[in-house]
Amino acid sequence: MDAPETLYARSGDVNIAYQVVGEGEFDLVYVPGWVSNVEYMWMYPPFTHFLQRLASFSRLILFDKRGTGLSDQVPLDRLPTLEQRMDDVRAVLDAVGSERAALFGHSEGGCLCTLFAATYPERVRGLVLLAVYAKRLQSDDYPWAPTAGAREADAREIEENGWGDIDLSFYAPSKREDSGFERWLRGWLRNGASPRAAAALLRMNSRIDVREILPTVSVPTLILHRVGDRDVKIDEGRYIAERIPGARFIELPGDEHVIAAGEVDRLADEIEEFLTGERPAPEPDRVLTTVLFTDIVGSTDRAVALGDREWSELLERHHVLVRAELERYRGREVDTAGDGFLATFDGPARAVRCACAIRDAVRTIGLDVRAGVHTGEVQLRGESVAGIAVHTGARIAALGGAGEVLVSRTVTDLTSGSGVVFEPRGEHELKGVPGPWQVYAVAAT
């Protein structure tokens, strides 16, 4: 899904960037944490999936707080208070014609939502808080927060060294080895605020303390917290839940503070049930599908011969051609890693013909690809797929040479009568896949 259009609401003399997506029966405002960028959040598929889930049952309203993302920047010596940021929420609600909305706040954004709900209960139909703290500096009666010294050290580190040295694994230990996630998160932070602005905002939110207002919240409230969150401890979530009258508290598995780093469907399920009274019907997590793997043969040698710039340009042309054929044959792009593609199809014949079309298309720019096709049961993981069928397709593709489209016996059986002609390529042991496999090459389509 493409990112929705970014619009602007006027809050005093400041422009607040916002987006609206979905057509649900009620409005839901997502208030992000420390820094954000409403357009960059759509660049990471798990986050996109999460936002789509929210938009499936609401009219979802997203915005960047003043001083962050695409909203107007502010002088570092006049950083916004929670009260000013409440005005920004109200300005966005007025701009979209919303008289009453549910609020969903993450981390620092939850403090803002809590204050708004206590101040304007007539405009809030429900309050959802995720990984929220009541106070950001440690004290005898609030021992879970960081010390003032630790917060200042973090601010100086960001101010002096930027985003490059920040240990992102602290916020998402499960993604420690995921380079794609790390690139997105560093980009999210970089596009959310400059290092000096981020450090200033960190110092500002270190002074937040909403403990006294918690008992005054009168709207229905749901508090969610991942049990292993290291940035905001689960005891902080329990503390808040004990002090907001009637609040419901749910512990979620995981150790990630970043929303999109953890399992997002359970999170979306809980929010939907709380706000609508109904839990979504479970979607099938295993389906029969056809997977197609392609990759460029001899890509390393070609990249060395051309140099980084020319290779990058050639690779971009390759991607354009591959995506055009995927669209033509109704394939769904699942992943792109370097010079390879993984796509899924609801029929094996289309997958085979698409593989041959990709092979022929990229030859026009002097490239050769090999492809592997297999049909089997896959496990759905958001926008991604997993399981033995995926491994099988990848291993079959790896057997191919330049210009070859190899398929499993399953594919030949299911395409009988389609006009596709195959040649046997013998029986093979596929690494990590049980049993011997008969492999065939596409001879004609």
Side-chain angles (χ1 to χ4, degrees):
M1 157 175 196
D2 294 331
E5 181 183 4
T6 300
L7 304 170
Y8 287 89
R10 194 75 171 175
S11 180
D13 59 354
V14 175
N15 291 301
I16 304 299
Y18 73 91
Q19 297 176 344
V20 180
V21 59
E23 299 178 351
E25 295 182 357
F26 64 91
D27 294 332
L28 172 60
V29 180
Y30 165 50
V31 183
W34 180 26
V35 300
S36 66
N37 184 294
V38 289
E39 293 185 354
Y40 209 87
M41 68 176 66
W42 294 93
M43 296 183 183
Y44 186 58
F47 208 166
T48 298
H49 175 68
F50 177 64
L51 297 176
Q52 289 173 328
R53 282 291 313 275
L54 299 183
S56 70
F57 60 83
S58 72
R59 183 172 71 145
L60 179 62
I61 301 165
L62 313 170
F63 77 102
D64 288 329
K65 294 172 291 188
R66 64 172 64 196
T68 66
L70 300 179
S71 293
D72 281 350
Q73 303 306 297
V74 296
L76 299 186
D77 59 350
R78 295 200 301 275
L79 291 172
T81 63
L82 284 180
E83 183 177 354
Q84 287 175 308
R85 285 182 160 179
M86 276 205 307
D87 289 338
D88 298 343
V89 175
R90 191 170 58 242
V92 171
L93 290 176
D94 291 343
V96 301
S98 178
E99 296 182 358
R100 193 163 177 257
L103 301 182
F104 167 44
H106 175 231
S107 196
E108 178 201 297
C111 300
L112 173 57
C113 290
T114 303
L115 183 58
F116 191 98
T119 307
Y120 304 105
E122 73 282 359
R123 299 201 69 170
V124 180
R125 62 171 285 155
L127 176 64
V128 179
L129 306 176
L130 171 66
V132 173
Y133 51 85
K135 185 175 184 285
R136 207 49 174 141
L137 294 181
Q138 189 179 109
S139 61
D140 290 343
D141 57 351
Y142 197 88
W144 314 285
T147 64
R151 293 289 285 177
E152 178 57 29
D154 288 343
R156 284 199 305 271
E157 175 69 22
I158 295 167
E159 197 168 39
E160 294 171 5
N161 299 316
W163 300 113
D165 293 334
I166 190 170
D167 181 13
L168 300 182
S169 66
F170 177 80
Y171 303 98
S174 67
K175 295 292 185 180
R176 191 184 301 273
E177 305 298 328
D178 189 333
S179 59
F181 169 79
E182 181 174 344
R183 281 195 302 273
W184 171 78
L185 184 55
R186 289 195 191 280
W188 161 270
L189 295 171
R190 190 171 57 249
N191 286 276
S194 70
R196 285 189 64 232
L201 289 166
L202 188 149
R203 292 187 177 103
M204 182 274 293
N205 70 35
S206 294
R207 298 191 293 270
I208 289 176
D209 186 343
V210 297
R211 290 178 298 170
E212 294 301 319
I213 71 166
L214 297 178
T216 70
V217 175
S218 59
V219 303
T221 302
L222 171 67
I223 300 168
L224 303 164
H225 214 111
R226 289 173 176 151
V227 294
D229 191 327
R230 295 194 291 179
D231 188 43
V232 180
K233 308 297 191 299
I234 194 166
D235 285 330
E236 300 182 71
R238 296 188 183 113
Y239 177 97
I240 294 171
E242 290 170 358
R243 285 159 177 78
I244 294 180
R248 182 183 180 193
F249 181 67
I250 297 178
E251 297 182 8
L252 299 173
D255 57 10
E256 306 87 359
H257 184 69
V258 180
I259 290 179
E263 204 284 314
V264 296
D265 279 310
R266 167 76 186 281
L267 178 59
D269 288 348
E270 298 293 352
I271 296 173
E272 181 173 358
E273 182 176 20
F274 176 71
L275 294 176
T276 68
E278 296 182 1
R279 202 172 186 88
E283 295 185 3
D285 61 356
R286 302 191 70 86
V287 298
L288 183 72
T289 195
T290 299
V291 295
L292 163 64
F293 282 87
T294 71
D295 71 295
I296 300 172
V297 177
S299 59
T300 302
D301 292 340
R302 192 67 180 276
V304 171
L306 290 176
D308 290 344
R309 181 175 178 180
E310 288 189 35
W311 172 246
S312 179
E313 292 174 351
L314 184 60
L315 198 60
E316 181 59 32
R317 293 170 64 192
H318 162 270
H319 286 15
V320 169
L321 291 172
V322 171
R323 287 179 174 129
E325 297 303 334
L326 290 177
E327 182 176 0
R328 177 184 171 195
Y329 287 94
R330 303 207 313 269
R332 184 179 73 86
E333 179 183 335
V334 174
D335 192 21
T336 307
D339 60 8
F341 274 78
L342 164 60
T344 59
F345 296 77
D346 57 11
R350 271 201 310 281
V352 169
R353 292 191 171 98
C354 182
C356 294
I358 289 172
R359 174 197 61 195
D360 297 340
V362 302
R363 277 178 173 165
T364 64
I365 57 173
L367 293 176
D368 273 314
V369 298
R370 58 185 174 185
V373 182
H374 175 60
T375 300
E377 188 180 58
V378 301
Q379 182 179 357
L380 302 177
R381 293 183 177 175
E383 296 296 309
S384 187
V385 292
I388 196 69
V390 178
H391 293 297
T392 303
R395 299 293 185 239
I396 289 173
L399 297 173
E404 286 191 317
V405 176
L406 302 184
V407 306
S408 65
R409 173 64 182 269
T410 309
V411 172
T412 65
D413 291 344
L414 292 175
T415 55
S416 177
S418 67
V420 181
V421 179
F422 300 97
E423 297 176 347
R425 287 299 171 88
E427 196 172 78
H428 296 265
E429 296 289 338
L430 305 179
K431 183 178 179 181
V433 181
W437 285 78
Q438 292 180 325
V439 176
Y440 297 79
V442 178
T445 59

